[in-house]
Amino acid sequence: MEKVKTANKESQSPLSFLKNLLIARWRSLLLLLIGVYLPLQTFEILTVKIWQNQAGLPWDVPILLAIHSTANPQLDVLAVTLAIIGLPWTAIPILGAIALILLLQKRWRSLTYLLTASLGSIIINRTAKELMHRVRPQLWQSIAPESSFAFPSAHAMTSITLVAILLFLTWASSWRWLFLIFGSLYVIAIAWCRLYLGVHFPSDILAGWMVSLGWTIGVSLIIRPYTTKAKSLDGERPKDETSLLPEERKLITEE
């Protein structure tokens, strides 16, 4: 009996609760650190540096000049084509089609994630551009000039957001590996074309990547679009993702 009482006291102590919580949630905490905090911290550092020096970071111009030194007519065509493919307006029909499928399948959790992640990414990009007012590089005459502000890159943010949404929506299937491989190539290709065309500094691209990663992963930790089944606590058949998870229902009840 004494052992049982001692065990109960330990289980109810704040230190024991914290330890058990960290053990149970260490994966989420690690993802929070690597996938949210570090990208957003990198974005914050880039923002401060560029705010202090609009000319950019020391490695911005050398990288642009190195990429421009490879210019030729074939790469010109490829870069312009990739720039069109990577336009934010090009991603809208793709995301719209996915949203329609999710709506017809009544996958509310996945649909909520798609809308929140994509709309939030657009708002963040437009807000940051208007606040920073960073001009485009003027190192050479671009074959596809841009007139809007540069920081952060909308192309970079759109590519990361699109790939992240597809990854999280297919996380429970083998399709995720296909989206991970080809999505990574797509993200790199879009970034290369913006640098090749001379319409973005490398720091614009990196900032777009970081803030999009932080946003899409952060939203996924809250909405959990990869959760397609809600675990039942009373032995009943698990419900699909149109239902709230037990812990979500509990939070609403408590409020």
Side-chain angles (χ1 to χ4, degrees), residues 97-251:
I98 298 173
L100 180 60
I101 294 173
L102 296 176
L103 179 64
L104 295 175
Q105 294 179 347
K106 297 183 179 180
R107 294 177 57 185
W108 311 132
R109 184 178 297 275
S110 298
L111 179 60
T112 302
Y113 174 72
L114 183 149
L115 295 176
T116 305
S118 55
L119 292 177
S121 181
I122 294 173
I123 294 172
I124 292 171
N125 181 263
R126 299 309 308 170
T127 302
K129 282 181 180 290
E130 292 301 322
L131 289 176
M132 294 299 293
H133 279 202
R134 192 186 195 188
V135 297
R136 304 273 179 171
Q138 303 293 328
L139 299 178
W140 64 84
Q141 183 63 40
S142 175
I143 58 176
E146 299 277 0
S147 58
S148 61
F149 296 120
F151 183 92
S153 167
H155 277 71
M157 289 188 65
T158 300
S159 62
I160 285 285
T161 301
L162 178 60
V163 172
I165 289 173
L166 292 174
L167 273 176
F168 281 119
L169 293 184
T170 59
W171 193 254
S173 71
S174 58
W175 283 95
R176 69 179 184 272
W177 298 111
L178 182 66
F179 286 120
L180 179 61
I181 295 172
F182 286 97
S184 299
L185 295 175
Y186 168 72
V187 168
I188 294 173
I190 295 299
W192 168 83
C193 84
R194 305 311 284 162
L195 299 177
Y196 179 89
L197 295 172
V199 294
H200 274 298
F201 292 103
S203 52
D204 298 332
I205 302 294
L206 182 59
W209 283 351
M210 292 298 101
V211 72
S212 290
L213 277 176
W215 171 251
T216 54
I217 294 176
V219 173
S220 76
L221 291 175
I222 297 173
I223 299 179
R224 297 169 69 180
Y226 40 80
T227 303
T228 57
K229 295 291 182 182
K231 295 180 181 178
S232 176
L233 299 180
D234 54 8
E236 296 180 358
R237 182 179 63 85
K239 300 176 182 179
D240 60 25
E241 69 169 31
T242 62
S243 300
L244 294 176
L245 297 175
E247 56 266 33
E248 294 169 339
R249 190 180 297 108
K250 182 179 179 182
L251 287 173

